[in-house]
Amino acid sequence: MVSNEMSKNFEIAIIGAGISGTTLAIALHHRGLNVTVYEAAHAFGEIGAGVSFSPNAVQAMKICHDGVYEAFEEVCTRNKWSSKQKVWFNYVDGYNKTKSDGSELKADEQPDIAFTIHNSLGQTAVHRARFLDEMVHLLPKGIAHFGKRLCGITEPANDEGKLVMHFTDGTSAETDAVIGCDGIKSAVRRCLFGEDSPSAWPSYTHKYAYRGLISTRDAVAAIGSEVAENSFMHMGPNGHILTFPVDKGETLNLVAFRTTSANWEDPSRLTKPAHQDDLLRDFEGWAPYIQKLLKLTKPDLDIWAIFDLGNNPVPTFCKGRVCIIGDAAHATSPHHGSGAGFCIESSAILASLLASDKVQTVSDIRAVFETFDAVRRERCQWLVQSSRFIGDCYEWRADGVGKDFEIIEREINVRYGIIANVDVEKMCREAVEDFNKRVSA
Ligand SMILES: Cc1cc2nc3c(=O)[nH]c(=O)nc-3n(C[C@H](O)[C@H](O)[C@H](O)COP(=O)(O)OP(=O)(O)OC[C@H]3O[C@@H](n4cnc5c(N)ncnc54)[C@H](O)[C@@H]3O)c2cc1C
């Protein structure tokens, strides 16, 4: 890979510096492409919560740049127990107060494990902000412009002219191509489809989540080390809770989901403050060990509304020399734990395309983006729908599945296989072959 000399005769603007924008910028910069990042916030930053990655995402990190993978290894936390190194999640009934032999579950007892989902890497969780901090070192100073919130794009008058990006601070900048990595509320998506298009806006999945961090030491004392030090999915009616270790095992990350028929009051804000009492009320009647765990969260919490792009999937990921990737293109509910992983897959594939030999000038970019759309849209939009379904399986509300653990296990294994058991290098190669065919035709 080249790092200093610019290898192509065009400039690329990335809008947004979350996981998509940062991994893409690193992948492009280290392939010698001329790239500039415009980020609305005043610095690189992520909301401090845990995110875990499956094997496909880890392959994609290595393709973007070895440094991305090294950053991940630096901050990654795995299950503590050696017997659980290949465990993605242990699934348990977190609601009923009986064990599988029918005896009563005591307050300090965990339920029997219903089934376990394995993968080649086990559970690999990172603290978002720390992961991003490590990755930022791979970018030269000055590549990113902060405080730049994109609000419009003017198309050029001719095929090779510059696109003009407009920002809310009244400034503008020119570029040859725009890649929207600006997340679920993407302004680039609105530029592509128009403010009035249903595809421009995400919709509420009628699930919300409390996110909490608990000291592992306190969790071990309250509910024992197996659940406190390893990844568990606690299932129940119309709710589920996932817990996994972060911060090198010092902290247990807890995400507690509820399904509701009520609407989310203010779609312009995806979070709202909550109190531990709300959380306890929402999980009243669940097993005693869950009550103990929830009481260890801080008194002040946030509720996150789970929105996605599942109701009105975008008809394309690109138009001309404007493209969207990551949550901007396929924001998903988090029930497969793969939204960010798919962002990194997309960065790897788009970078491989843009850096490929036959892509040389501005006039090649349109076909690159069309190829990206052709190879990525089906897989990414499948994830959005599958994630909705699997979230309902965890909550015993999926049609034809209910509380049948055998079916739930089978559904997870099939779907998780589609996500994780892929060869991302092959995906990149096939994308480049597709592009080459497209341009030679
Ligand atoms: C509760 C929850 C748990 C999750 N857990 C997992 C998990 O375990 N594993 C997993 O793989 N995924 C998980 N996900 C999904 C994952 O978080 C997202 O898919 C991923 O973070 C999206 O990254 P992104 O870079 O595309 O968007 P974002 O992270 O939203 O980044 C967008 C960036 O663009 C900037 N921006 C926005 N608008 C503009 C603008 N107009 N101009 C300039 N900049 C702008 C923002 O400031 C931000 O920096 C989870 C999601 C949720 C909600």
Side-chain angles (χ1 to χ4, degrees):
M1 288 186 200
V2 206
S3 58
N4 292 320
E5 261 175 53
M6 295 308 161
S7 63
K8 311 275 177 183
N9 185 19
F10 53 78
E11 294 173 300
I12 292 171
I14 292 177
I15 310 298
I19 288 177
S20 302
T22 306
T23 53
L24 182 63
I26 292 168
L28 292 178
H29 171 72
H30 288 274
R31 283 166 171 78
L33 275 81
N34 185 350
V35 58
T36 307
V37 180
Y38 297 91
E39 163 58 49
H42 288 281
F44 284 107
E46 271 269 357
I47 292 158
V51 60
S52 64
F53 290 105
S54 44
N56 56 309
V58 175
Q59 284 181 49
M61 289 175 194
K62 293 178 184 167
I63 296 169
C64 286
H65 187 264
D66 280 341
V68 174
Y69 170 65
E70 284 155 20
F72 157 77
E73 278 294 345
E74 182 66 32
V75 296
C76 161
T77 301
R78 295 189 157 83
N79 284 329
K80 177 146 187 204
W81 286 19
S82 56
S83 58
K84 294 192 189 286
Q85 290 307 300
K86 304 275 181 216
V87 169
W88 184 53
F89 274 106
N90 294 294
Y91 284 74
V92 288
D93 176 343
Y95 182 74
N96 289 297
K97 292 137 201 101
T98 44
K99 306 210 313 183
S100 52
D101 64 2
S103 62
E104 196 186 330
L105 193 67
K106 299 192 187 74
D108 56 352
E109 270 185 328
Q110 60 160 90
D112 299 319
I113 292 172
F115 58 88
T116 298
I117 304 291
H118 296 91
N119 75 28
S120 58
L121 298 174
Q123 180 60 231
T124 54
V126 307
H127 189 282
R128 287 164 188 265
R130 282 186 205 129
F131 182 40
L132 201 67
D133 281 351
E134 290 292 326
M135 284 199 287
V136 165
H137 299 308
L138 300 166
L139 289 171
K141 285 206 168 51
I143 202 171
H145 298 267
F146 296 101
K148 295 287 170 193
R149 179 174 292 280
L150 182 104
C151 55
I153 303 171
T154 307
E155 294 282 338
N158 62 58
D159 267 2
E160 311 238 316
K162 296 276 184 191
L163 296 148
V164 183
M165 299 167 289
H166 304 279
F167 301 99
T168 51
D169 63 359
T171 59
S172 60
E174 290 187 339
T175 188
D176 294 308
V178 176
I179 304 176
C181 300
D182 50 344
I184 189 162
K185 294 199 240 166
S186 171
V188 180
R189 189 171 65 238
R190 293 200 298 278
C191 292
L192 283 180
F193 304 112
E195 300 271 336
D196 295 336
S197 162
S199 294
W201 303 98
S203 44
Y204 187 39
T205 62
H206 288 272
K207 282 186 172 39
Y208 58 87
Y210 299 86
R211 297 168 88 167
L213 296 170
I214 298 170
S215 137
T216 304
R217 198 183 317 148
D218 294 349
V220 170
I223 57 164
S225 61
E226 184 169 16
V227 178
E229 294 178 339
N230 302 291
S231 48
F232 273 77
M233 186 80 74
H234 314 267
M235 300 179 284
N238 299 313
H240 70 280
I241 302 172
L242 55 124
T243 49
F244 53 88
V246 292
D247 204 8
K248 300 290 176 196
E250 295 292 310
T251 309
L252 185 64
N253 189 60
L254 175 144
V255 193
F257 293 88
R258 283 301 287 184
T259 296
T260 173
S261 55
N263 289 326
W264 184 257
E265 308 93 61
D266 179 4
S268 69
R269 299 174 72 88
L270 300 189
T271 61
K272 67 177 181 189
H275 194 269
Q276 192 195 54
D277 293 344
D278 303 313
L279 171 66
L280 293 172
R281 204 174 312 113
D282 265 348
F283 288 88
E284 212 175 311
W286 283 53
Y289 81 98
I290 290 287
Q291 306 296 332
K292 285 185 134 193
L293 197 58
L294 298 181
K295 282 183 188 149
L296 295 177
T297 57
K298 296 202 171 71
D300 293 318
L301 298 167
D302 282 329
I303 289 182
W304 289 59
I306 307 299
F307 276 66
D308 72 6
L309 291 178
N311 282 5
N312 300 291
V314 295
T316 172
F317 284 178
C318 66
K319 277 187 191 168
R321 282 184 272 136
V322 181
C323 180
I324 43 177
I325 81 163
D327 275 17
H330 48 78
T332 170
S333 55
H335 313 305
H336 273 308
S338 295
F342 270 45
C343 292
I344 305 176
E345 267 186 18
S346 286
S347 292
I349 292 167
L350 190 50
S352 304
L353 277 167
L354 282 164
S356 67
D357 294 345
K358 290 203 174 151
V359 178
Q360 288 301 333
T361 64
V362 173
S363 55
D364 297 321
I365 295 171
R366 184 183 290 263
V368 166
F369 287 172
E370 283 168 5
T371 308
F372 179 74
D373 174 60
V375 298
R376 286 303 283 166
R377 188 152 40 88
E378 189 181 338
R379 175 166 164 83
C380 295
Q381 291 183 339
W382 167 84
L383 180 74
V384 180
Q385 300 302 335
S386 184
S387 177
R388 283 183 174 196
F389 174 79
I390 219 71
D392 277 345
C393 285
Y394 301 162
E395 301 185 359
W396 308 340
R397 31 179 301 119
D399 284 346
V401 179
K403 198 192 160 211
D404 187 324
F405 288 162
E406 261 180 45
I407 306 184
I408 298 175
E409 180 181 8
R410 195 169 62 229
E411 287 291 350
I412 298 169
N413 272 322
V414 168
R415 289 158 193 272
Y416 195 67
I418 295 172
I419 292 166
N421 300 338
V422 289
D423 180 342
V424 183
E425 280 207 16
K426 187 162 168 247
M427 286 178 174
C428 295
R429 257 193 333 270
E430 286 174 354
V432 172
E433 282 161 21
D434 185 311
F435 170 80
N436 290 344
K437 273 192 217 139
R438 213 171 270 266
V439 287
S440 50

